Amino acid sequence: MRKLKKTVALVLVSLMMLSGTSCGKGDDNAGKSTRQQNIIATIQRDNDKTTEKTTAGSTENTSEKTTEDTASTTEQPSTEKPGSVNADAEKAFKEFEDDMFKDEISSNFFNYHFTLKDGSKYGIERPAASWGEVDWSDEAVEKSKKEAKEWYDRLCAIDRNGLNETDQFSYDVYKEDIELSMEMQPYMLYDGDFSPMRGIQSDFANKFTDYPFYEKQDVEDYVILLETSRDYIDKLLEFEKERAEKGYALSDYNLDDVIDQCNTFVKDGENHFLIEVFDNAIADLDFLTDEEKQTYKERNKKAIIDVVIPAFNDIADTMSGLKGKAKTQLGYSYYDNGQKFYELKFKQYTGSTKTPDEAIAFLESRATEIVQEMSMIYMSDPDGYQEYVDNYGNHLADADKMNSKDVVDILMETAMDDYPELPAIPYTVSYLDKTLETIMDSVLAYYRSPALDMPTNNIIKVNGGHLDGQWATLAHEGCPGHMYQNTYYMSTNPSNLRAVDGFLGYMEGWAKYAEYGSYLAYDFPNTEHDETIGRLSALESEYNMLFMGYIDLRVNYSGWTVEDVATYMAQKGFNSSVAEKMVNLFAGDPAAYQSYVIGYYEMKGLRDKAEQALGDKFDPVEFHRVILENGPCQYDILTEKVDEFIDENK
């Protein structure tokens, strides 16, 4: 029903080279998960899994606090007048949050393991190692609908006016989220489990390469998950075949992408990278004997060779057999009620109240503004503009050559002046396995947030095959992006349910907002035009991101064909030869990029609104504090807090 932030990884997705000679390189950083978010290369369906924070968690650090602090649901101080808070309403609301948190965390093993090290401190029993229930029978669907309605009715029965201000805010977040999830229930067949960007075949390895080992049972469960993965995948394939028989198969182009991913995954056979990854991971575990390590290594290898690889071969074979079954090779508007489905996915991924039509009009207007802003920069600093053009693509080359951790450290020192201070954030940076670089080719990097009771375990994973542009990439994933945002929000000690709730539009909107701001913090070498080059770099990146969001809307909502996209691209100076690839990209994962695009513009719009209203009284640090302390949520609800900020500071 809901999307858990802690079980997803916040992903930054690479875009193809789109621009013609007049525009240069396309935006490599437009795009989870959660994480993740999230989200995006691995944003998955709410029913049994989620990803953007990227399919695994993120690596944002939280402030230092004890396990006991994080395990408890702390009463927030009331900002209401004395006597206005109803004790019964507060009690019922806290019980609602606690029960829903427990229900979501214990719903499947991955939710639990990536969210908590020790569930007993939260009153949650460790679930059995399982991939979760996969049941699409009419009875199961009706049961899911009934459960969602029960949660909704329980929430609505609570007297909102009797809650303190913080809990009223959370109440609104939950209510709107559950309403959307119920509205999406009739569209189950429209969303599958094998899309190129967020399917199980692209996300599978990531679940295991990021899997934490705290005790012996974790190792046992890891191997069990591999040993039982075939049954899980078989059930997903049965559902995919059912979707296909009703016309909802992926396009042939996207089916080929999935097949290619599977073939890459299995190509090394007995030398499979997950065997080496596991062997290395358990080598230094002091809670295993040498004999136990050897036994687990043998079980893991057998599971990879006898279970996982055959399962991926089955995925490839099944996808091959589904070719030609799709109702359309184009976008979702060609399905019955496809526009309505896209509207709901758009809202889910963005957290925006904009309609697709309003988003199209906005992006068209903003594209014109970007061109005008670039022209104004040329007028004010023609020498700097010319220097940008003459050295196009090389301005951030020094950062591309650096170790990724060093880049994050420099960002922490140079890009944080406009943000509220936090204690030092502990984190680790590592690189994807070489095979994963190919399987997750569309992923530049991702941040996995720490378990609630392991707040210092922030992780950033980088695709070493895409280190160009890593200054912006790591600003997005690290500081002041996902890692900083998550750390700050966790320092406010939110309720456990709010702590794990992921809203991709907010999370990716913040990360893109932080990413674009980071260009102005970069010390461009051998130039006196740092500001001009930084502003042009951000604007060009934004323009290419905007373009991707616009094409997604046109393909899936307006029904544009390959010819329509090619014509538009040629008119705008892009390389129109990739039009077919563009159509298939967005048809395979409708609205997924919008968490970046519209999410960013909603976040930027709040900044613009506050800055215009307050003028010289605007303080970016305090504005960012308002955004951060309220945490991931929908933008209409966040806007109310920004309006309060404006009124209080006029």
Side-chain angles (χ1 to χ4, degrees), residues 1-9 33-34 44-51 54-57 100-119 124-133 203 207 211-212 214 225 232 448-453 496-497 500-501:
M1 178 178 63
R2 302 163 66 81
K3 190 174 294 294
L4 293 184
K5 182 176 72 172
K6 295 293 175 180
T7 60
V8 298
S33 105
T34 190
Q44 300 186 12
R45 199 170 62 218
D46 292 345
N47 298 335
D48 49 39
K49 59 187 182 302
T50 61
T51 71
T54 352
T55 150
M100 179 169 272
F101 170 75
K102 291 176 179 177
D103 182 74
E104 292 183 344
I105 295 306
S106 59
S107 62
N108 72 60
F109 182 81
F110 284 109
N111 280 2
Y112 174 91
H113 193 58
F114 280 112
T115 305
L116 302 174
K117 177 184 178 182
D118 182 3
I124 300 175
E125 184 178 348
R126 182 188 184 102
S130 166
W131 287 86
E133 183 180 359
D203 179 43
K207 291 180 180 294
Y211 184 101
Y214 303 123
L225 288 164
Y232 175 72
R448 184 176 292 280
S449 60
L452 294 184
D453 47 352
N496 293 326
L497 184 58
V500 301
D501 255 344

Side-chain angles (χ1 to χ4, degrees), residues 319-335:
M319 296 301 119
S320 180
L322 297 182
K323 288 186 179 180
K325 291 184 177 293
K327 286 181 180 178
T328 177
Q329 300 293 314
L330 299 172
Y332 269 71
S333 65
Y334 289 91
Y335 289 103

Side-chain angles (χ1 to χ4, degrees), residues 285-355:
L285 298 182
D286 57 11
F287 49 76
L288 294 179
T289 66
D290 290 342
E291 183 178 354
E292 287 172 332
K293 290 177 183 178
Q294 185 59 36
T295 298
Y296 280 124
K297 288 179 180 180
E298 292 171 0
R299 284 180 61 188
N300 175 70
K301 184 173 183 177
K302 180 176 175 58
I304 295 295
I305 296 171
D306 294 347
V307 179
V308 176
I309 289 178
F312 269 70
N313 285 329
D314 283 352
I315 296 174
D317 291 343
T318 301
M319 296 301 119
S320 180
L322 297 182
K323 288 186 179 180
K325 291 184 177 293
K327 286 181 180 178
T328 177
Q329 300 293 314
L330 299 172
Y332 269 71
S333 65
Y334 289 91
Y335 289 103
D336 295 339
N337 297 316
Q339 282 188 318
K340 179 61 177 177
F341 166 75
Y342 182 82
E343 287 179 13
L344 296 174
K345 294 297 288 185
F346 181 86
K347 186 173 183 179
Q348 178 191 38
Y349 282 140
T350 65
S352 172
T353 58
K354 283 185 173 67
T355 66

Side-chain angles (χ1 to χ4, degrees), residues 2 99 105 124 167 200 264 336 419 430 449 472 500 553 563 599:
R2 302 163 66 81
D99 289 347
I105 295 306
I124 300 175
D167 289 341
I200 181 65
T264 299
D336 295 339
Y419 301 92
S430 59
S449 60
V500 301
L553 281 156
E563 291 74 20

